[in-house]
Every structure is written in structure tokens, then in C-alpha cells.
Amino acid sequence: MKDNIYSRRNFLHKYLKAGSILAGAGFVLSYNSLSSVAKELAQSSSSNQQPPKKAVQTAQKNQCDNLSGVSADEIEKRKKLAYVTKTPIPDSHCSNCTLYLPPAKDKPCGGCLLFKGPVRPDGYCAYWAPINN
């Protein structure tokens, strides 16, 4: 019997292979776009102009900015996750994120499941995830 080029087996094999390739390409592209968004946020937060000295003194007084007990690895992790103290997106901030840990009764700052150290409720990072009710 001749090998039929229009058989069901050839059709399924050909299109399952093509579908797998397209799904893999979609995954790679979505990962690259997420990392590029994180890089843009990190660059925009680091390229902000220097605030006036009065604002710097106010920020230093805020306990949520005190990273003295945080290791250098954890500080680097915060940077890789593009954490900023003030959200660039009005409705996306740490206090309405699934990963946010609310502050204890005697502390003004919360925390995050992704990295150690104090987290401002109005902060933001590239892995922000909305709370599902």
C-alpha cells in the first residue's frame, strides 16, 4: 500500500508539531517582555532626578526606607524585582498585592513574600499580583 501524504496521522503529526513550536515561541516572547518591563521600571526609578535635600531628610526618617538589617543579596533581589517606594501605576501598589504582608501592630511597614526587608504600602514591583476576592 502506498504511503498517503494526506493521511490523518501525517496531518495530526504536522500540526501538533507546529502548535508546540508556536506555544514555545509565545512563552519565550512573554518572558522576554516581562523582563524588559522590569528593566524599564528599574531604569525609570534609578534615573529619577535627585530630590531636594529636605525630601531626602524626610525619606531617611521613614522607617520603611531603613535597609540596615537587610543583606546585600536581598537588596540586589529588590532591585532585580524592580521594587520602588512609590508606585508608577495608581491602582497597583503593594497594599493591594497578593504577595504583600501587612505590617504588625507596632510597625509602620509591611513585608513581601518575594524579598526581605521593609515594604511601603504605596510601593510597587514588577511582580505585583492583584488580590482576588
Side-chain angles (χ1 to χ4, degrees), residues 10-129:
N10 287 340
F11 174 81
L12 290 174
H13 179 68
K14 180 179 178 180
Y15 286 100
L16 284 175
K17 187 187 294 186
S20 298
I21 291 171
L22 287 175
F27 177 74
V28 168
L29 290 175
S30 68
Y31 177 77
N32 285 338
S33 75
L34 179 61
S35 58
S36 69
V37 167
K39 286 178 185 176
E40 287 176 14
L41 283 173
Q43 288 174 350
S44 68
S45 67
S46 65
S47 67
N48 288 342
Q49 294 179 354
Q50 293 291 334
K53 288 185 180 183
K54 196 174 211 179
V56 171
Q57 291 171 351
T58 305
Q60 289 174 347
K61 291 179 185 176
N62 191 334
Q63 293 177 358
C64 296
D65 295 333
N66 184 4
L67 299 177
S68 60
V70 181
S71 70
D73 292 337
E74 288 296 326
I75 292 174
E76 186 63 30
K77 191 185 293 185
R78 289 167 84 99
K79 289 178 184 176
K80 286 181 181 178
L81 296 173
Y83 173 76
V84 291
T85 57
K86 184 71 176 160
T87 181
I89 305 167
D91 293 334
S92 303
H93 44 83
C94 292
S95 63
N96 68 358
C97 176
T98 305
L99 305 170
Y100 181 69
L101 302 170
K105 291 181 181 178
D106 58 339
K107 305 233 178 184
C109 308
C112 182
L113 293 174
L114 298 177
F115 53 85
K116 295 180 182 174
V119 175
R120 286 184 178 216
D122 56 343
Y124 176 81
C125 83
Y127 287 87
W128 178 83

